[in-house]
Amino acid sequence: MAWSQDEERMLLQIERHLTDEDPRLAARLESFNERVQRQEGRRRRRVRGEGGPAGGPRGTTVVIVVSWMLIAILIAMLLVLVLRHEAAAALPL
């Protein structure tokens, strides 16, 4: 939705006032806006298949699943070792 001319004029006045009042804050906001625009550009390129990192959301999902599997295997191994130790301790010598 486009801004009306009055709204654009008011926003420009607010921007000028902010820049005059607190130039550091204005610079930080501008830097933030530039970073957001760069990230949006990367997302658009990735959606169109123009590049970006090879491991997207699917890559992170695989890493998380593999991590959980490793944790489950470690817990299972510890349980087996504990139960085996208790069984061995119960044997009469």
Side-chain angles (χ1 to χ4, degrees):
M1 184 166 108
W3 297 94
S4 71
Q5 289 181 349
D6 289 335
E7 290 170 331
E8 285 185 25
R9 185 175 40 78
M10 288 171 52
L11 287 172
L12 285 173
Q13 287 176 351
I14 292 170
E15 183 180 352
R16 276 190 230 116
H17 181 70
L18 173 64
T19 305
D20 293 342
E21 276 297 309
D22 195 352
R24 284 181 53 200
L25 177 61
R28 291 173 90 183
L29 290 173
E30 182 64 30
S31 172
F32 174 76
N33 288 337
E34 289 172 1
R35 283 186 298 206
V36 168
Q37 288 174 352
R38 279 195 306 266
Q39 287 176 350
E40 287 175 354
R42 286 186 204 131
R43 282 191 198 120
R44 284 189 203 113
R45 283 193 308 268
R46 215 176 292 144
V47 167
R48 286 183 284 180
E50 293 179 7
R58 292 181 184 161
T60 55
T61 303
V62 169
V63 169
I64 291 170
V65 168
V66 169
S67 300
W68 278 106
M69 288 175 57
L70 286 173
I71 290 170
I73 290 169
L74 286 172
I75 290 172
M77 288 176 60
L78 287 172
L79 284 172
V80 167
L81 289 173
V82 166
L83 293 174
R84 219 172 128 189
H85 178 70
E86 289 176 2
L91 289 176
L93 293 177

